[in-house]
Coordinates of all heavy atoms in Angstrom, one line a residue:
N1 N 90.1 146.0 132.5 CA 88.7 145.4 132.5 C 88.5 144.6 131.2 O 87.8 143.5 131.2 CB 87.7 146.4 132.7 CG 87.5 146.9 134.1 OD1 87.8 146.2 135.1 ND2 87.1 148.1 134.4
L2 N 89.0 145.1 130.1 CA 89.0 144.3 128.8 C 89.7 143.0 129.0 O 89.2 141.9 128.6 CB 89.5 145.1 127.7 CG 88.6 146.3 127.2 CD1 89.5 147.2 126.2 CD2 87.3 145.9 126.6
L3 N 90.9 143.1 129.5 CA 91.7 141.8 129.7 C 91.0 140.8 130.6 O 90.9 139.6 130.3 CB 93.0 142.2 130.2 CG 94.0 142.8 129.3 CD1 95.2 143.4 130.1 CD2 94.5 141.8 128.3
R4 N 90.4 141.3 131.7 CA 89.7 140.5 132.7 C 88.5 139.8 132.0 O 88.0 138.7 132.4 CB 89.3 141.2 133.9 CG 90.5 141.6 134.7 CD 90.1 142.6 135.9 NE 91.2 143.0 136.6 CZ 91.4 144.3 137.0 NH1 90.4 145.2 136.8 NH2 92.5 144.6 137.7
A5 N 87.9 140.5 131.0 CA 86.7 139.9 130.3 C 87.2 139.0 129.2 O 86.3 138.5 128.4 CB 85.9 141.1 129.7
G6 N 88.5 138.8 129.0 CA 88.9 137.8 128.0 C 89.3 138.4 126.6 O 89.5 137.7 125.7
V7 N 89.3 139.8 126.6 CA 89.6 140.4 125.3 C 91.2 140.4 125.1 O 91.8 141.1 126.0 CB 89.1 141.8 125.2 CG1 89.5 142.6 123.9 CG2 87.5 141.8 125.4
P8 N 91.7 139.8 124.2 CA 93.2 139.9 124.0 C 93.6 141.3 123.5 O 93.0 141.8 122.5 CB 93.5 138.8 122.9 CG 92.2 138.7 122.1 CD 91.1 139.0 123.2
L9 N 94.5 141.9 124.1 CA 94.9 143.2 123.9 C 96.4 143.4 123.6 O 97.2 142.7 124.1 CB 94.7 144.1 125.0 CG 93.3 144.6 125.4 CD1 93.3 145.6 126.6 CD2 92.5 145.2 124.2
M10 N 96.7 144.3 122.6 CA 98.0 144.8 122.4 C 97.9 146.3 122.9 O 97.1 147.0 122.3 CB 98.5 144.7 121.0 CG 99.9 145.4 120.8 SD 100.5 145.2 119.1 CE 101.3 143.5 119.2
V11 N 98.8 146.7 123.8 CA 98.7 148.0 124.4 C 99.9 148.8 124.1 O 101.0 148.3 123.9 CB 98.5 147.9 125.9 CG1 97.2 147.2 126.2 CG2 99.6 147.4 126.6
W12 N 99.8 150.1 124.1 CA 100.9 151.1 124.0 C 100.6 152.3 124.8 O 99.5 152.7 124.9 CB 101.0 151.5 122.5 CG 102.1 152.6 122.3 CD1 103.4 152.4 122.1 CD2 101.8 153.9 122.2 NE1 104.1 153.7 122.0 CE2 103.1 154.6 122.0 CE3 100.6 154.7 122.2 CZ2 103.2 156.0 121.9 CZ3 100.8 156.1 122.1 CH2 102.1 156.7 121.9
N13 N 101.7 152.9 125.4 CA 101.6 154.1 126.1 C 102.9 154.9 125.9 O 104.0 154.3 125.7 CB 101.4 153.8 127.6 CG 101.0 155.0 128.3 OD1 99.9 155.5 128.2 ND2 102.0 155.6 129.2
R14 N 102.8 156.2 125.9 CA 103.9 157.0 125.7 C 105.0 156.9 126.7 O 106.2 157.0 126.5 CB 103.5 158.5 125.5 CG 102.8 158.9 124.2 CD 102.4 160.4 124.2 NE 101.5 160.7 125.3 CZ 101.1 162.0 125.5 NH1 101.7 162.9 124.8 NH2 100.2 162.2 126.4
T15 N 104.5 156.6 128.0 CA 105.4 156.4 129.1 C 105.5 154.8 129.3 O 104.5 154.3 129.8 CB 104.9 157.0 130.4 OG1 104.6 158.4 130.1 CG2 105.9 156.9 131.5
P16 N 106.5 154.2 128.9 CA 106.5 152.7 128.8 C 106.3 152.0 130.1 O 105.6 151.0 130.2 CB 107.9 152.4 128.2 CG 108.3 153.6 127.5 CD 107.7 154.7 128.2
E17 N 106.8 152.6 131.3 CA 106.6 151.9 132.5 C 105.2 151.7 132.9 O 104.8 150.8 133.7 CB 107.4 152.7 133.6 CG 107.0 154.1 133.8 CD 107.9 155.1 133.1 OE1 108.5 154.6 132.1 OE2 108.1 156.2 133.5
K18 N 104.3 152.5 132.4 CA 102.8 152.4 132.7 C 102.2 151.2 132.1 O 101.1 150.8 132.3 CB 102.1 153.6 132.3 CG 102.4 154.8 133.2 CD 101.5 156.0 132.9 CE 101.8 157.1 133.8 NZ 100.9 158.4 133.5
T19 N 102.9 150.5 131.1 CA 102.4 149.3 130.5 C 102.6 148.1 131.4 O 102.0 147.0 131.1 CB 103.1 149.1 129.1 OG1 104.5 148.9 129.3 CG2 102.9 150.3 128.2
E20 N 103.4 148.1 132.4 CA 103.8 146.9 133.2 C 102.6 146.2 133.8 O 102.5 145.0 133.7 CB 104.9 147.2 134.2 CG 106.2 147.4 133.6 CD 106.6 146.2 132.6 OE1 106.6 145.1 133.1 OE2 107.0 146.6 131.5
P21 N 101.6 147.0 134.4 CA 100.5 146.3 135.0 C 99.7 145.5 133.9 O 99.1 144.4 134.2 CB 99.6 147.3 135.6 CG 100.6 148.4 135.9 CD 101.6 148.4 134.8
L22 N 99.7 146.0 132.7 CA 98.9 145.3 131.6 C 99.7 144.2 131.1 O 99.1 143.1 130.8 CB 98.7 146.4 130.4 CG 97.6 147.3 130.5 CD1 96.3 146.6 130.6 CD2 97.8 148.3 131.7
R23 N 101.0 144.3 131.0 CA 101.8 143.0 130.7 C 101.6 141.9 131.6 O 101.4 140.8 131.3 CB 103.3 143.5 130.6 CG 104.2 142.3 130.0 CD 105.6 142.6 130.3 NE 106.1 143.9 129.8 CZ 106.5 144.1 128.6 NH1 106.6 143.2 127.7 NH2 106.9 145.4 128.2
E24 N 101.6 142.3 133.0 CA 101.4 141.3 134.0 C 100.1 140.6 133.9 O 99.9 139.5 134.3 CB 101.6 141.9 135.4 CG 103.1 142.4 135.6 CD 103.3 143.2 136.9 OE1 102.2 143.4 137.6 OE2 104.4 143.7 137.2
A25 N 99.1 141.4 133.4 CA 97.7 140.9 133.3 C 97.5 140.1 132.0 O 96.4 139.6 131.8 CB 96.7 142.1 133.4
G26 N 98.5 140.1 131.1 CA 98.4 139.3 130.0 C 98.4 140.0 128.6 O 98.2 139.3 127.6
A27 N 98.5 141.3 128.6 CA 98.5 142.0 127.4 C 99.8 141.9 126.7 O 100.9 141.8 127.4 CB 98.1 143.5 127.6
Q28 N 99.8 142.0 125.4 CA 101.0 142.2 124.7 C 101.4 143.7 124.6 O 100.4 144.5 124.5 CB 100.9 141.7 123.2 CG 100.8 140.2 123.1 CD 101.0 139.7 121.7 OE1 101.8 140.2 121.0 NE2 100.2 138.7 121.4
V29 N 102.6 144.0 124.8 CA 103.0 145.5 124.9 C 103.7 145.8 123.6 O 104.8 145.1 123.3 CB 103.9 145.7 126.1 CG1 104.4 147.2 126.1 CG2 103.1 145.5 127.4

């Protein structure tokens, strides 16, 4: 929802595969 609102994000998760939907939505991982 932050990404959809135009907030540029860098994300991290302990389980890396869970970051893929965020990468596809434009986040830096």
Side-chain angles (χ1 to χ4, degrees):
N1 282 332
L2 287 172
L3 285 167
R4 291 172 185 139
V7 177
L9 283 185
M10 175 175 277
V11 302
W12 172 83
N13 193 70
R14 286 181 295 173
T15 309
E17 56 264 27
K18 290 186 177 181
T19 63
E20 286 309 307
L22 279 298
R23 189 195 304 274
E24 293 170 4
Q28 292 193 37
V29 175

